Amino acid sequence: TEGIDIEEWDCRGKVSGGSLFRSKKPPIHFLAWDFAGQDDYQVTHQCFYSRRALYIAVFRLSDGLEGVNELDHVLRNVQLRAPGSIVIVVGTHLDKVSESESLFLEEEVRKRYR
């Protein structure tokens, strides 16, 4: 990602026995903001943090501990700018690491950020 990519969509709830798209309830509006991970963009991220957001911090499992270490900056900024917000940590590229390495990295993330 270069800069910030913003996607939005509406999701309607399912009515009991009815269609997903025929709900009379108003839709839930989602905005997904994909921030660039490069150092050049890090300083701008703080302008967009909000306590009312759900954060997904993504790292490559194939980067090993270096990938986990890169989470520090992101998670500290969220905690400082939007304390108490929910953060989901996602490790990608699972197919590129062994099962023992993925379990080790999962435990490392849990140990550091629980």
Side-chain angles (χ1 to χ4, degrees), residues 8-50:
E8 59 183 290
W9 70 96
D10 291 329
C11 179
R12 297 186 183 276
K14 185 172 183 176
V15 178
S16 180
S19 168
L20 179 65
F21 299 105
R22 294 190 184 135
S23 173
K24 293 180 182 178
K25 294 182 179 181
I28 298 172
H29 186 71
F30 288 93
L31 283 172
W33 296 50
D34 181 359
F35 293 107
Q38 296 88 355
D39 290 339
D40 292 345
Y41 296 103
Q42 295 288 330
V43 81
T44 63
H45 294 179
Q46 62 188 325
C47 300
F48 302 99
Y49 290 140
S50 166

mmCIF file of all heavy atoms in Angstrom, residues 8-50:
data_model
loop_
_atom_site.group_PDB
_atom_site.id
_atom_site.type_symbol
_atom_site.label_atom_id
_atom_site.label_comp_id
_atom_site.label_asym_id
_atom_site.label_seq_id
_atom_site.Cartn_x
_atom_site.Cartn_y
_atom_site.Cartn_z
ATOM 1 N N GLU A 8 -15.063 1.014 1.525
ATOM 2 C CA GLU A 8 -16.249 1.037 2.371
ATOM 3 C C GLU A 8 -17.316 0.126 1.793
ATOM 4 O O GLU A 8 -17.357 -0.122 0.596
ATOM 5 C CB GLU A 8 -16.770 2.454 2.568
ATOM 6 C CG GLU A 8 -17.160 3.222 1.346
ATOM 7 C CD GLU A 8 -17.592 4.630 1.709
ATOM 8 O OE1 GLU A 8 -18.662 4.778 2.317
ATOM 9 O OE2 GLU A 8 -16.850 5.564 1.373
ATOM 10 N N TRP A 9 -18.145 -0.419 2.679
ATOM 11 C CA TRP A 9 -19.252 -1.260 2.251
ATOM 12 C C TRP A 9 -20.308 -1.291 3.339
ATOM 13 O O TRP A 9 -20.046 -0.994 4.499
ATOM 14 C CB TRP A 9 -18.779 -2.659 1.870
ATOM 15 C CG TRP A 9 -18.311 -3.518 2.987
ATOM 16 C CD1 TRP A 9 -19.034 -4.447 3.664
ATOM 17 C CD2 TRP A 9 -16.992 -3.568 3.569
ATOM 18 N NE1 TRP A 9 -18.261 -5.058 4.630
ATOM 19 C CE2 TRP A 9 -17.012 -4.524 4.582
ATOM 20 C CE3 TRP A 9 -15.809 -2.869 3.323
ATOM 21 C CZ2 TRP A 9 -15.892 -4.813 5.357
ATOM 22 C CZ3 TRP A 9 -14.703 -3.168 4.099
ATOM 23 C CH2 TRP A 9 -14.743 -4.128 5.089
ATOM 24 N N ASP A 10 -21.522 -1.650 2.932
ATOM 25 C CA ASP A 10 -22.643 -1.785 3.853
ATOM 26 C C ASP A 10 -23.003 -3.257 3.963
ATOM 27 O O ASP A 10 -22.986 -3.987 2.972
ATOM 28 C CB ASP A 10 -23.867 -1.008 3.353
ATOM 29 C CG ASP A 10 -23.648 0.493 3.410
ATOM 30 O OD1 ASP A 10 -22.913 0.943 4.304
ATOM 31 O OD2 ASP A 10 -24.211 1.212 2.566
ATOM 32 N N CYS A 11 -23.340 -3.665 5.164
ATOM 33 C CA CYS A 11 -23.724 -5.049 5.417
ATOM 34 C C CYS A 11 -25.090 -5.042 6.091
ATOM 35 O O CYS A 11 -25.284 -4.389 7.122
ATOM 36 C CB CYS A 11 -22.684 -5.719 6.314
ATOM 37 S SG CYS A 11 -23.083 -7.420 6.721
ATOM 38 N N ARG A 12 -26.020 -5.751 5.513
ATOM 39 C CA ARG A 12 -27.369 -5.850 6.098
ATOM 40 C C ARG A 12 -27.478 -7.166 6.858
ATOM 41 O O ARG A 12 -26.983 -8.185 6.417
ATOM 42 C CB ARG A 12 -28.422 -5.789 5.012
ATOM 43 C CG ARG A 12 -28.425 -4.475 4.278
ATOM 44 C CD ARG A 12 -29.594 -4.415 3.306
ATOM 45 N NE ARG A 12 -29.557 -3.174 2.553
ATOM 46 C CZ ARG A 12 -30.046 -2.019 2.987
ATOM 47 N NH1 ARG A 12 -30.596 -1.946 4.170
ATOM 48 N NH2 ARG A 12 -29.983 -0.936 2.242
ATOM 49 N N GLY A 13 -28.160 -7.122 7.988
ATOM 50 C CA GLY A 13 -28.358 -8.317 8.797
ATOM 51 C C GLY A 13 -29.416 -9.225 8.211
ATOM 52 O O GLY A 13 -30.258 -8.801 7.427
ATOM 53 N N LYS A 14 -29.369 -10.469 8.567
ATOM 54 C CA LYS A 14 -30.338 -11.441 8.070
ATOM 55 C C LYS A 14 -31.567 -11.433 8.961
ATOM 56 O O LYS A 14 -31.476 -11.478 10.184
ATOM 57 C CB LYS A 14 -29.732 -12.837 8.048
ATOM 58 C CG LYS A 14 -30.652 -13.861 7.422
ATOM 59 C CD LYS A 14 -29.962 -15.183 7.242
ATOM 60 C CE LYS A 14 -30.900 -16.135 6.544
ATOM 61 N NZ LYS A 14 -30.250 -17.402 6.255
ATOM 62 N N VAL A 15 -32.721 -11.377 8.347
ATOM 63 C CA VAL A 15 -33.989 -11.438 9.056
ATOM 64 C C VAL A 15 -34.349 -12.910 9.202
ATOM 65 O O VAL A 15 -34.183 -13.697 8.270
ATOM 66 C CB VAL A 15 -35.092 -10.690 8.266
ATOM 67 C CG1 VAL A 15 -36.422 -10.797 8.970
ATOM 68 C CG2 VAL A 15 -34.699 -9.242 8.072
ATOM 69 N N SER A 16 -34.853 -13.297 10.373
ATOM 70 C CA SER A 16 -35.220 -14.688 10.604
ATOM 71 C C SER A 16 -36.177 -15.174 9.511
ATOM 72 O O SER A 16 -37.241 -14.610 9.318
ATOM 73 C CB SER A 16 -35.874 -14.824 11.977
ATOM 74 O OG SER A 16 -36.234 -16.161 12.209
ATOM 75 N N GLY A 17 -35.758 -16.176 8.779
ATOM 76 C CA GLY A 17 -36.576 -16.728 7.716
ATOM 77 C C GLY A 17 -36.604 -15.890 6.450
ATOM 78 O O GLY A 17 -37.277 -16.222 5.497
ATOM 79 N N GLY A 18 -35.858 -14.799 6.435
ATOM 80 C CA GLY A 18 -35.887 -13.909 5.274
ATOM 81 C C GLY A 18 -34.554 -13.865 4.561
ATOM 82 O O GLY A 18 -33.625 -14.576 4.892
ATOM 83 N N SER A 19 -34.485 -13.006 3.619
ATOM 84 C CA SER A 19 -33.282 -12.847 2.815
ATOM 85 C C SER A 19 -32.312 -11.883 3.491
ATOM 86 O O SER A 19 -32.712 -10.946 4.172
ATOM 87 C CB SER A 19 -33.653 -12.313 1.440
ATOM 88 O OG SER A 19 -32.504 -11.889 0.758
ATOM 89 N N LEU A 20 -31.039 -12.082 3.265
ATOM 90 C CA LEU A 20 -30.000 -11.216 3.800
ATOM 91 C C LEU A 20 -30.173 -9.786 3.305
ATOM 92 O O LEU A 20 -29.903 -8.838 4.016
ATOM 93 C CB LEU A 20 -28.627 -11.748 3.382
ATOM 94 C CG LEU A 20 -27.408 -10.960 3.829
ATOM 95 C CD1 LEU A 20 -27.285 -11.003 5.344
ATOM 96 C CD2 LEU A 20 -26.162 -11.522 3.205
ATOM 97 N N PHE A 21 -30.660 -9.607 2.101
ATOM 98 C CA PHE A 21 -30.729 -8.280 1.497
ATOM 99 C C PHE A 21 -32.100 -7.626 1.628
ATOM 100 O O PHE A 21 -32.305 -6.539 1.140
ATOM 101 C CB PHE A 21 -30.317 -8.362 0.023
ATOM 102 C CG PHE A 21 -28.914 -8.852 -0.123
ATOM 103 C CD1 PHE A 21 -28.657 -10.145 -0.536
ATOM 104 C CD2 PHE A 21 -27.844 -8.039 0.199
ATOM 105 C CE1 PHE A 21 -27.357 -10.606 -0.647
ATOM 106 C CE2 PHE A 21 -26.538 -8.495 0.091
ATOM 107 C CZ PHE A 21 -26.297 -9.778 -0.336
ATOM 108 N N ARG A 22 -33.028 -8.255 2.284
ATOM 109 C CA ARG A 22 -34.358 -7.672 2.441
ATOM 110 C C ARG A 22 -34.630 -7.212 3.864
ATOM 111 O O ARG A 22 -35.762 -6.976 4.225
ATOM 112 C CB ARG A 22 -35.422 -8.685 2.016
ATOM 113 C CG ARG A 22 -35.362 -8.985 0.537
ATOM 114 C CD ARG A 22 -36.555 -9.789 0.108
ATOM 115 N NE ARG A 22 -36.408 -10.132 -1.294
ATOM 116 C CZ ARG A 22 -36.644 -11.318 -1.797
ATOM 117 N NH1 ARG A 22 -37.051 -12.298 -1.015
ATOM 118 N NH2 ARG A 22 -36.488 -11.549 -3.074
ATOM 119 N N SER A 23 -33.609 -7.101 4.647
ATOM 120 C CA SER A 23 -33.769 -6.663 6.028
ATOM 121 C C SER A 23 -34.286 -5.235 6.070
ATOM 122 O O SER A 23 -33.893 -4.381 5.282
ATOM 123 C CB SER A 23 -32.429 -6.742 6.755
ATOM 124 O OG SER A 23 -32.543 -6.168 8.028
ATOM 125 N N LYS A 24 -35.177 -4.965 7.007
ATOM 126 C CA LYS A 24 -35.696 -3.608 7.194
ATOM 127 C C LYS A 24 -34.813 -2.804 8.137
ATOM 128 O O LYS A 24 -35.006 -1.616 8.291
ATOM 129 C CB LYS A 24 -37.129 -3.663 7.710
ATOM 130 C CG LYS A 24 -38.073 -4.240 6.686
ATOM 131 C CD LYS A 24 -39.488 -4.288 7.182
ATOM 132 C CE LYS A 24 -40.357 -4.923 6.108
ATOM 133 N NZ LYS A 24 -41.734 -5.061 6.521
ATOM 134 N N LYS A 25 -33.876 -3.464 8.761
ATOM 135 C CA LYS A 25 -32.937 -2.765 9.646
ATOM 136 C C LYS A 25 -31.932 -2.007 8.796
ATOM 137 O O LYS A 25 -31.576 -2.446 7.702
ATOM 138 C CB LYS A 25 -32.208 -3.756 10.550
ATOM 139 C CG LYS A 25 -33.112 -4.451 11.529
ATOM 140 C CD LYS A 25 -32.332 -5.369 12.428
ATOM 141 C CE LYS A 25 -33.257 -6.038 13.410
ATOM 142 N NZ LYS A 25 -32.533 -6.909 14.315
ATOM 143 N N PRO A 26 -31.461 -0.879 9.305
ATOM 144 C CA PRO A 26 -30.446 -0.152 8.523
ATOM 145 C C PRO A 26 -29.149 -0.968 8.441
ATOM 146 O O PRO A 26 -28.826 -1.727 9.356
ATOM 147 C CB PRO A 26 -30.235 1.136 9.317
ATOM 148 C CG PRO A 26 -30.741 0.853 10.683
ATOM 149 C CD PRO A 26 -31.786 -0.217 10.558
ATOM 150 N N PRO A 27 -28.436 -0.818 7.357
ATOM 151 C CA PRO A 27 -27.188 -1.584 7.218
ATOM 152 C C PRO A 27 -26.112 -1.074 8.180
ATOM 153 O O PRO A 27 -26.168 0.055 8.651
ATOM 154 C CB PRO A 27 -26.778 -1.314 5.771
ATOM 155 C CG PRO A 27 -27.402 -0.001 5.441
ATOM 156 C CD PRO A 27 -28.685 0.058 6.229
ATOM 157 N N ILE A 28 -25.158 -1.940 8.442
ATOM 158 C CA ILE A 28 -23.975 -1.541 9.204
ATOM 159 C C ILE A 28 -22.961 -1.049 8.182
ATOM 160 O O ILE A 28 -22.686 -1.728 7.186
ATOM 161 C CB ILE A 28 -23.399 -2.718 10.001
ATOM 162 C CG1 ILE A 28 -24.423 -3.204 11.023
ATOM 163 C CG2 ILE A 28 -22.093 -2.328 10.675
ATOM 164 C CD1 ILE A 28 -24.028 -4.481 11.719
ATOM 165 N N HIS A 29 -22.454 0.132 8.398
ATOM 166 C CA HIS A 29 -21.530 0.749 7.446
ATOM 167 C C HIS A 29 -20.100 0.499 7.914
ATOM 168 O O HIS A 29 -19.740 0.827 9.037
ATOM 169 C CB HIS A 29 -21.808 2.246 7.354
ATOM 170 C CG HIS A 29 -21.017 2.939 6.305
ATOM 171 N ND1 HIS A 29 -21.253 2.762 4.959
ATOM 172 C CD2 HIS A 29 -19.988 3.798 6.389
ATOM 173 C CE1 HIS A 29 -20.413 3.489 4.277
ATOM 174 N NE2 HIS A 29 -19.628 4.126 5.111
ATOM 175 N N PHE A 30 -19.285 -0.092 7.070
ATOM 176 C CA PHE A 30 -17.891 -0.382 7.381
ATOM 177 C C PHE A 30 -16.976 0.500 6.545
ATOM 178 O O PHE A 30 -17.220 0.715 5.366
ATOM 179 C CB PHE A 30 -17.548 -1.843 7.064
ATOM 180 C CG PHE A 30 -18.143 -2.839 7.992
ATOM 181 C CD1 PHE A 30 -19.353 -3.436 7.695
ATOM 182 C CD2 PHE A 30 -17.494 -3.177 9.168
ATOM 183 C CE1 PHE A 30 -19.909 -4.368 8.546
ATOM 184 C CE2 PHE A 30 -18.047 -4.105 10.024
ATOM 185 C CZ PHE A 30 -19.259 -4.699 9.723
ATOM 186 N N LEU A 31 -15.923 0.987 7.175
ATOM 187 C CA LEU A 31 -14.838 1.677 6.482
ATOM 188 C C LEU A 31 -13.554 0.934 6.815
ATOM 189 O O LEU A 31 -13.238 0.743 7.992
ATOM 190 C CB LEU A 31 -14.700 3.121 6.960
ATOM 191 C CG LEU A 31 -15.703 4.121 6.430
ATOM 192 C CD1 LEU A 31 -15.544 5.449 7.159
ATOM 193 C CD2 LEU A 31 -15.518 4.333 4.949
ATOM 194 N N ALA A 32 -12.837 0.492 5.821
ATOM 195 C CA ALA A 32 -11.552 -0.181 6.028
ATOM 196 C C ALA A 32 -10.446 0.744 5.541
ATOM 197 O O ALA A 32 -10.456 1.158 4.380
ATOM 198 C CB ALA A 32 -11.517 -1.504 5.272
ATOM 199 N N TRP A 33 -9.537 1.083 6.434
ATOM 200 C CA TRP A 33 -8.417 1.973 6.107
ATOM 201 C C TRP A 33 -7.148 1.142 6.137
ATOM 202 O O TRP A 33 -6.741 0.649 7.196
ATOM 203 C CB TRP A 33 -8.316 3.093 7.132
ATOM 204 C CG TRP A 33 -9.493 4.017 7.164
ATOM 205 C CD1 TRP A 33 -10.818 3.667 7.234
ATOM 206 C CD2 TRP A 33 -9.457 5.433 7.133
ATOM 207 N NE1 TRP A 33 -11.589 4.783 7.256
ATOM 208 C CE2 TRP A 33 -10.787 5.886 7.197
ATOM 209 C CE3 TRP A 33 -8.437 6.359 7.069
ATOM 210 C CZ2 TRP A 33 -11.109 7.224 7.195
ATOM 211 C CZ3 TRP A 33 -8.759 7.693 7.073
ATOM 212 C CH2 TRP A 33 -10.084 8.123 7.127
ATOM 213 N N ASP A 34 -6.526 0.985 5.004
ATOM 214 C CA ASP A 34 -5.290 0.214 4.883
ATOM 215 C C ASP A 34 -4.127 1.204 4.859
ATOM 216 O O ASP A 34 -3.922 1.909 3.881
ATOM 217 C CB ASP A 34 -5.332 -0.621 3.598
ATOM 218 C CG ASP A 34 -4.099 -1.478 3.398
ATOM 219 O OD1 ASP A 34 -3.178 -1.428 4.244
ATOM 220 O OD2 ASP A 34 -4.054 -2.189 2.386
ATOM 221 N N PHE A 35 -3.408 1.266 5.979
ATOM 222 C CA PHE A 35 -2.271 2.183 6.097
ATOM 223 C C PHE A 35 -1.015 1.543 5.538
ATOM 224 O O PHE A 35 -0.747 0.372 5.772
ATOM 225 C CB PHE A 35 -1.998 2.532 7.565
ATOM 226 C CG PHE A 35 -3.070 3.339 8.204
ATOM 227 C CD1 PHE A 35 -3.929 2.775 9.128
ATOM 228 C CD2 PHE A 35 -3.222 4.682 7.896
ATOM 229 C CE1 PHE A 35 -4.912 3.530 9.726
ATOM 230 C CE2 PHE A 35 -4.204 5.440 8.489
ATOM 231 C CZ PHE A 35 -5.053 4.869 9.410
ATOM 232 N N ALA A 36 -0.233 2.329 4.835
ATOM 233 C CA ALA A 36 1.057 1.856 4.348
ATOM 234 C C ALA A 36 1.957 1.541 5.539
ATOM 235 O O ALA A 36 1.948 2.253 6.532
ATOM 236 C CB ALA A 36 1.704 2.925 3.470
ATOM 237 N N GLY A 37 2.710 0.479 5.447
ATOM 238 C CA GLY A 37 3.583 0.096 6.546
ATOM 239 C C GLY A 37 4.976 0.696 6.468
ATOM 240 O O GLY A 37 5.761 0.578 7.399
ATOM 241 N N GLN A 38 5.286 1.367 5.360
ATOM 242 C CA GLN A 38 6.626 1.921 5.204
ATOM 243 C C GLN A 38 6.868 3.039 6.223
ATOM 244 O O GLN A 38 5.955 3.758 6.609
ATOM 245 C CB GLN A 38 6.815 2.492 3.783
ATOM 246 C CG GLN A 38 6.733 1.472 2.695
ATOM 247 C CD GLN A 38 5.295 1.243 2.206
ATOM 248 O OE1 GLN A 38 4.351 1.779 2.739
ATOM 249 N NE2 GLN A 38 5.157 0.389 1.208
ATOM 250 N N ASP A 39 8.123 3.179 6.621
ATOM 251 C CA ASP A 39 8.500 4.184 7.619
ATOM 252 C C ASP A 39 8.069 5.591 7.231
ATOM 253 O O ASP A 39 7.701 6.393 8.081
ATOM 254 C CB ASP A 39 10.014 4.165 7.860
ATOM 255 C CG ASP A 39 10.462 2.906 8.591
ATOM 256 O OD1 ASP A 39 9.614 2.262 9.241
ATOM 257 O OD2 ASP A 39 11.656 2.585 8.512
ATOM 258 N N ASP A 40 8.103 5.909 5.946
ATOM 259 C CA ASP A 40 7.750 7.256 5.490
ATOM 260 C C ASP A 40 6.322 7.644 5.869
ATOM 261 O O ASP A 40 6.017 8.818 6.017
ATOM 262 C CB ASP A 40 7.887 7.367 3.966
ATOM 263 C CG ASP A 40 9.331 7.268 3.512
ATOM 264 O OD1 ASP A 40 10.237 7.403 4.358
ATOM 265 O OD2 ASP A 40 9.547 7.059 2.304
ATOM 266 N N TYR A 41 5.454 6.660 6.012
ATOM 267 C CA TYR A 41 4.045 6.944 6.270
ATOM 268 C C TYR A 41 3.660 6.823 7.744
ATOM 269 O O TYR A 41 2.555 7.202 8.128
ATOM 270 C CB TYR A 41 3.165 6.005 5.446
ATOM 271 C CG TYR A 41 3.323 6.201 3.960
ATOM 272 C CD1 TYR A 41 4.067 5.303 3.203
ATOM 273 C CD2 TYR A 41 2.741 7.289 3.322
ATOM 274 C CE1 TYR A 41 4.215 5.484 1.835
ATOM 275 C CE2 TYR A 41 2.885 7.479 1.956
ATOM 276 C CZ TYR A 41 3.621 6.572 1.223
ATOM 277 O OH TYR A 41 3.770 6.759 -0.115
ATOM 278 N N GLN A 42 4.541 6.284 8.567
ATOM 279 C CA GLN A 42 4.205 6.010 9.964
ATOM 280 C C GLN A 42 3.720 7.246 10.718
ATOM 281 O O GLN A 42 2.809 7.171 11.513
ATOM 282 C CB GLN A 42 5.409 5.402 10.693
ATOM 283 C CG GLN A 42 5.835 4.053 10.199
ATOM 284 C CD GLN A 42 4.886 2.947 10.570
ATOM 285 O OE1 GLN A 42 4.221 3.008 11.581
ATOM 286 N NE2 GLN A 42 4.810 1.932 9.727
ATOM 287 N N VAL A 43 4.325 8.376 10.469
ATOM 288 C CA VAL A 43 3.990 9.585 11.212
ATOM 289 C C VAL A 43 2.558 10.053 10.927
ATOM 290 O O VAL A 43 1.942 10.696 11.762
ATOM 291 C CB VAL A 43 5.033 10.695 10.941
ATOM 292 C CG1 VAL A 43 4.771 11.412 9.639
ATOM 293 C CG2 VAL A 43 5.097 11.661 12.094
ATOM 294 N N THR A 44 2.011 9.719 9.769
ATOM 295 C CA THR A 44 0.648 10.154 9.439
ATOM 296 C C THR A 44 -0.428 9.295 10.085
ATOM 297 O O THR A 44 -1.560 9.737 10.235
ATOM 298 C CB THR A 44 0.416 10.153 7.915
ATOM 299 O OG1 THR A 44 0.536 8.812 7.429
ATOM 300 C CG2 THR A 44 1.402 11.055 7.211
ATOM 301 N N HIS A 45 -0.105 8.092 10.482
ATOM 302 C CA HIS A 45 -1.105 7.163 11.017
ATOM 303 C C HIS A 45 -1.818 7.733 12.238
ATOM 304 O O HIS A 45 -3.021 7.562 12.396
ATOM 305 C CB HIS A 45 -0.469 5.828 11.387
ATOM 306 C CG HIS A 45 0.048 5.088 10.210
ATOM 307 N ND1 HIS A 45 0.671 3.875 10.329
ATOM 308 C CD2 HIS A 45 0.070 5.375 8.887
ATOM 309 C CE1 HIS A 45 1.037 3.445 9.142
ATOM 310 N NE2 HIS A 45 0.686 4.342 8.249
ATOM 311 N N GLN A 46 -1.090 8.398 13.104
ATOM 312 C CA GLN A 46 -1.661 8.877 14.351
ATOM 313 C C GLN A 46 -2.826 9.842 14.130
ATOM 314 O O GLN A 46 -3.684 10.000 14.993
ATOM 315 C CB GLN A 46 -0.595 9.535 15.204
ATOM 316 C CG GLN A 46 0.029 10.757 14.571
ATOM 317 C CD GLN A 46 1.208 11.262 15.355
ATOM 318 O OE1 GLN A 46 1.212 11.181 16.562
ATOM 319 N NE2 GLN A 46 2.204 11.781 14.660
ATOM 320 N N CYS A 47 -2.884 10.478 12.994
ATOM 321 C CA CYS A 47 -3.971 11.415 12.689
ATOM 322 C C CYS A 47 -5.309 10.705 12.523
ATOM 323 O O CYS A 47 -6.363 11.334 12.605
ATOM 324 C CB CYS A 47 -3.665 12.189 11.417
ATOM 325 S SG CYS A 47 -2.159 13.160 11.504
ATOM 326 N N PHE A 48 -5.278 9.406 12.294
ATOM 327 C CA PHE A 48 -6.495 8.669 11.970
ATOM 328 C C PHE A 48 -6.951 7.711 13.067
ATOM 329 O O PHE A 48 -7.974 7.052 12.903
ATOM 330 C CB PHE A 48 -6.279 7.887 10.665
ATOM 331 C CG PHE A 48 -5.919 8.766 9.516
ATOM 332 C CD1 PHE A 48 -4.598 8.907 9.125
ATOM 333 C CD2 PHE A 48 -6.891 9.488 8.851
ATOM 334 C CE1 PHE A 48 -4.254 9.735 8.059
ATOM 335 C CE2 PHE A 48 -6.557 10.314 7.789
ATOM 336 C CZ PHE A 48 -5.243 10.441 7.398
ATOM 337 N N TYR A 49 -6.224 7.609 14.162
ATOM 338 C CA TYR A 49 -6.608 6.680 15.223
ATOM 339 C C TYR A 49 -7.855 7.164 15.949
ATOM 340 O O TYR A 49 -8.045 8.356 16.175
ATOM 341 C CB TYR A 49 -5.470 6.504 16.233
ATOM 342 C CG TYR A 49 -4.283 5.739 15.699
ATOM 343 C CD1 TYR A 49 -2.996 6.120 16.008
ATOM 344 C CD2 TYR A 49 -4.455 4.631 14.884
ATOM 345 C CE1 TYR A 49 -1.901 5.423 15.527
ATOM 346 C CE2 TYR A 49 -3.365 3.922 14.403
ATOM 347 C CZ TYR A 49 -2.102 4.323 14.726
ATOM 348 O OH TYR A 49 -1.027 3.632 14.247
ATOM 349 N N SER A 50 -8.692 6.214 16.325
ATOM 350 C CA SER A 50 -9.930 6.522 17.040
ATOM 351 C C SER A 50 -10.251 5.379 17.990
ATOM 352 O O SER A 50 -10.003 4.216 17.671
ATOM 353 C CB SER A 50 -11.071 6.684 16.026
ATOM 354 O OG SER A 50 -12.312 6.661 16.667
#
